[in-house]
Amino acid sequence: MTQETYELYRYLNRSIPRLDSEQKVRGELKYLTDVYPEGMLHGYVLRSTVAHARILEISTEEAERAPGIRAVLTYKDIPGINGYGAIVPEIPVLAYERVRYYGEPLALIAADSMEQAKAAAEMIKVRLEPLPAVLDVDEAMAEKVKIHDKGNVARHTVVKRGDVSKAEAQAHLVLERTYRTPMQKHMFIEPEGGYAYVDGSGVVHVLAGGQSPYRDKLQISRVLGISPEMIRVKNYPTGGAFGGKDDATVQIHLALLAYRTRKPVRLAWTREESGIAGYHRTASKITIRTAVDREGRLLSNSAKIVLDSGAYQSFGPTILDVSIETINGPYRVPSYLIDAYLVYTNNGIASAFRGFGAPESNFAIESMMNELAAELGIDPVEIRLRNILRTGEEGPFGNVIRNSAGLEEALNRARSSGIWRRANGSGWIKEGVGVAVAIKGVGFGTLPDYPSAAVEVIPEGKVRVMFTNPDYGQGVITGIAQLAAERLQIPVSEIEVINADTMHSPDTGSSSASRTTLTAGSAVVQAIDEALSKLRVEAASSFGASSSEVQYSGGRFMYRDRSVTIYELARRLRQKGRSLRFEATFEVPRYPEPVEGTLEVPHMMYMYGVALVRAGVDALLGKVNVKEVEFYADIGNVINPSIASGQVEGGVVQGLGYATIEEYRYSDDGRPLNINFTTYVVPTARDSPEMYVEFVKSYDELGPYGAKGVGEIGIIPVGAALAEAVYRATGKRIRDLPITPWKLV
Amino acid sequence: MLAERGAAVRPISGGTDVMVMIKDGVLKEKELLDLSRLEELRYIKEDGELIRIGARTTYREVERSPVINAYAPILVEASKTIGSVQIQNLGTIAGNLGNASPAADSVPSLYVLEARVKLASVNSEREVGIGEFFLGPRKTVRRPDELITEVSFRKMEPGSHFFFKKLGLRSANAISIVSAAGILKLSNGKIDWLRLALGAVAPTVIRSPTAEERARGAELNEDSIRAIAEGASTDARPITDIRGTAEYRKKAVFGLVYEALYEIMSGSGKRVVFGLEGRG
């Protein structure tokens, strides 16, 4: 596994079609919400229709007696802990004492029909004493109305290095700006949902769209008060997630209803329910003050980061960490002072969303870099080249840069691009081109991370690969199958993947933080090595040779003129009653300790990206028309260029939506306003610009075959690059996303 | 059925609005009257100087009709912007009228075509001008026992210029923030007349009397275009909603009308040429 073998791969660097695309194109693939188990009950959630209130009473007697009703559950019916949450289990599974957001679940119903379930919901007597809704982070920080007894700041931390005031005193220029980014909804193709049942041996099966089957399993076990071994979670296939299905959605409710009724239960949110109760991206307000010398070299960076966590934390603490890690960009920052707050409001629940914390902070630092470049009269690409960290240097959080050559090359590629400064506006259409760079850590930084995977050699001619990072459309299955094929030197068609099912796969962790290629890829490669070493011994013994004399190539072991396939060896092992399953655990490389004030900063592995955005602005209508986007990325070795490129393109379009039209909003009393595709608009294919994605040559020895990750890099720099394009077109600096038409006329 | 209990019955054809209302639980009527197999109401006819379109005609059929393309190309322009192709395949001309959204994309063009709407009941038939048909958002003069059966209008004058401009937040499947439809007759660089209708800026689609008055007899130049567009903006009485603020909508009306007239002035606008759509 060295860089020299780069050109010799048989199954990597190849754009093979996705393994499940034919099924998807034919419409044959069934999402878990497409399954209606025989004899199933219909699950329904009664939700709060106020944003903030004290619960005086929830009475279910009448509803329980209603026709067709099999269960009505409130917080009183939870056998275990009434709390979940990816980081802190503080989110009530069913509300008790207080309601903290519009849509918070109050009761669960299982009924023979949906109509009966809804009718029973009407019969539940709910008495609430309304409290003022706190929707603004500044208002929340004033602590006049407390959302939680402990106060409205969920997490506050200060991370610093050097003497910022000294640096500012010596600076040629110090700029301070405040940037804001909105809440964003995931709007995946399949709303949250699935089904559950209890089998004859009492195991609770939960089959629902998700991103983290083993965490789901753990969270369910705590709430049900039973051993995790009595729970199975399956997340494949899932119709899109983007982080919105990383924390639990329907899983715990499904488990509760199935456990109580002992019948199959289906629970699937409607689009509107997803709009109301589903997660969203944190809104951010970031004030950043940056000092530079005459040549534009960064001397210091101060930032006050405030993230709106909504009513509970979910991933909030780590989102705050990523925003801290991102605020210094990929730059040499000698001194910094980061004051970061995660704040409770009554705005739903903010949770994971592609790149979490990074697009938010990136908009601030990259807009700042563009403003500094303009103030100093330096080319925006040049100012970045003057500040990016080079290989061997130490980054702002003490991390040694092992491979940033990719970013420098990406910037140079961007500078020589045809569209850089090719603005052709005329009449009322003004054109501009903007640039921004992105950095994103792969995985969980300094947090311990031990992903496991398994392979099984099937004598009939397949190698089964098992891991749990769910494929919700990214193409994980295909990429990992290519890695497995490469390791085994057998065609991809001989690889069979079992994905995201705790019944079959060891715990590889979640699909999040762009970590799947690293975690599943590395663990699978290790499991294959484990298999091959056992099979090698078996082959050697059959050849009467020592295993060091046995060669392996293309699925067979060879010794002199004799050879045997892995499948034949597997058949022999099976006859001997030996296991054909080989498991391995990968230890994700990390720094031993987080930087003071953080939970997981820094990472060892980073992806980089440079976005060029060419946009036209209709000066009379204020409408932004993005014409072209070029994206140069360093994602390590590229397993499947077409899938990787698709991830970047999808991220870019999602970033353009975030930067131009998407903004999840609440009314003054905390009711979500845009909860479906009519009112929450996302870009369509017609809105997608011409796109060009290029991966600079890169190889990270920590990743499987030099690969890093890709999922999140595309979305991150888009907002700042577009804002710069708009500035160059119109002279207007937009510091709060989205750049809606009314901000430009 | 309508005669007996019309107030409780909602006619449905393409269902592109009604189905959404059912799903949202906001449909008042308890029963549906399915018109979707009434082939008699599906036609586009030339009748002397008039064009008659049956109520069940879909937008896709309007777009593809040689008659409409020749004599009312503005309606082709408008139909193409409605929702998406899927919506255009199902949505009908009468549906867009009956739904009475101020943001309906076919309606401004029907205003400047000065269309008439035919309403029929078991024992009567009447025609009303498009301007009188709408009473407000989701409100029309259609009585519960009546059905919209036809829309008719005069053929556009050969040589007349026209436009339909829609501003949505995205390029497809977008509800208009504002829209504008105009037909303009020019002779020797002077505007004989302009008919201008605006969508999504008032409780119903409206004509813009100020703009039309300013246009009459004016030279087509940047000054007059500005004055006309400002007139349109003055006549707009928009509200603030999730798609845009009132203030912005007034500015956008100016922008849309200015850009449309500028395109006509500079020869890049669309024109009815001997009954066939052409450029310049």
Side-chain angles (χ1 to χ4, degrees), chain A residues 82-85 88-92 100 148 150 154 311-314 344:
Chain A
N82 183 12
Y84 75 97
V88 188
E90 67 166 12
I91 310 174
R100 296 187 176 87
H148 290 267
K150 62 185 174 185
Y312 301 100
Q313 292 187 37
S314 189
Y344 291 120

Side-chain angles (χ1 to χ4, degrees), chain A residues 271-272 428 618 620-623 661 665 673-674 676-679 681-684 686-687 740-742 745, chain B residues 23-24 167-173 175 177 241-245 248 251-252 254-256 258-259 262-263:
Chain A
R271 176 62 62 188
E272 284 72 18
W428 52 80
D618 185 316
L620 296 177
L621 301 173
K623 202 167 175 221
I661 55 177
R665 283 155 58 189
L673 292 174
N674 37 0
N676 57 27
F677 281 113
T678 308
T679 44
V681 291
V682 295
T684 66
R686 263 200 213 170
D687 298 290
T740 46
W742 35 97
V745 293
Chain B
K23 188 167 160 273
D24 289 350
L167 177 68
L169 276 179
R170 63 178 173 194
S171 314
N173 260 324
I175 297 173
I177 302 171
D241 68 11
I242 192 125
R243 280 177 279 276
T245 62
Y248 171 69
K251 288 179 183 167
F254 172 84
L256 278 188
Y258 183 92
E259 289 178 12
Y262 195 99
E263 280 165 11

Side-chain angles (χ1 to χ4, degrees), chain B residues 14-50:
Chain B
T16 55
D17 283 312
V18 175
M19 291 307 290
V20 175
M21 294 169 86
I22 293 171
K23 188 167 160 273
D24 289 350
V26 297
L27 189 73
K28 293 193 302 277
E29 295 88 348
K30 292 265 181 286
E31 291 178 80
L32 297 178
L33 175 62
D34 181 9
L35 309 176
S36 61
R37 295 204 181 151
L38 270 187
E39 291 302 312
E40 302 90 314
L41 293 183
R42 195 165 171 186
Y43 56 82
I44 294 169
K45 281 189 226 164
E46 254 184 282
D47 179 4
E49 274 308 291
L50 290 180

Side-chain angles (χ1 to χ4, degrees), chain A residues 433-655:
Chain A
V433 184
V435 65
V437 310
I439 174 173
K440 178 68 183 55
V442 175
F444 303 150
T446 61
L447 299 178
D449 190 6
Y450 302 100
S452 302
V455 297
E456 189 176 345
V457 185
I458 314 284
E460 287 69 32
K462 292 265 182 194
V463 175
R464 191 172 286 160
V465 171
M466 291 161 276
F467 60 94
T468 57
N469 308 92
D471 191 325
Y472 44 78
Q474 328 89 305
V476 175
I477 286 175
T478 311
I480 301 302
Q482 284 179 264
L483 279 168
E486 185 68 37
R487 197 60 166 181
L488 286 158
Q489 303 174 38
I490 59 173
V492 176
S493 57
E494 289 177 27
I495 306 289
E496 181 187 291
V497 177
I498 295 193
N499 181 233
D501 188 343
T502 64
M503 196 157 74
H504 299 286
S505 318
D507 186 359
T508 330
S510 58
S511 281
S512 59
S514 300
R515 70 191 277 280
T516 301
T517 300
L518 171 64
T519 55
S522 304
V524 164
V525 164
Q526 233 170 272
I528 288 170
D529 290 351
E530 183 71 23
L532 289 179
S533 93
K534 293 274 160 56
L535 293 174
R536 179 186 297 273
V537 172
E538 186 64 24
S541 91
S542 75
F543 294 146
S546 84
S547 61
S548 60
E549 294 171 298
V550 173
Q551 307 291 312
Y552 178 77
S553 171
R556 29 178 90 234
F557 289 98
M558 286 158 292
Y559 175 67
R560 297 193 179 152
D561 58 345
R562 295 163 64 191
S563 82
V564 60
T565 67
I566 51 173
Y567 305 118
E568 172 58 20
L569 288 168
R571 195 183 58 77
R572 292 180 200 164
L573 284 174
R574 186 159 69 183
Q575 278 169 354
K576 293 183 198 167
R578 302 250 307 273
S579 170
L580 307 176
R581 184 186 156 103
F582 305 91
E583 202 172 308
T585 298
F586 174 68
E587 184 175 5
V588 176
R590 63 190 167 96
Y591 289 101
E593 295 291 330
V595 167
E596 196 182 335
T598 73
L599 307 169
E600 53 170 280
V601 176
H603 287 73
M604 258 190 187
M605 181 185 278
Y606 290 95
M607 313 172 277
Y608 301 97
V610 179
L612 288 183
V613 174
R614 183 166 71 91
V617 180
D618 185 316
L620 296 177
L621 301 173
K623 202 167 175 221
V624 176
N625 175 15
V626 179
K627 300 189 166 165
E628 247 176 307
V629 173
E630 291 188 357
F631 204 102
Y632 300 89
D634 168 2
I635 63 164
N637 194 4
V638 183
I639 294 167
N640 186 313
S642 165
I643 293 179
S645 191
Q647 280 294 298
V648 173
E649 288 168 32
V652 165
V653 173
Q654 204 165 34

Side-chain angles (χ1 to χ4, degrees), chain B residues 140-153:
Chain B
T140 71
V141 299
R142 183 180 76 86
R143 292 192 310 260
D145 66 334
E146 286 178 322
L147 209 57
I148 303 168
T149 55
E150 185 185 272
V151 179
S152 61
F153 45 80

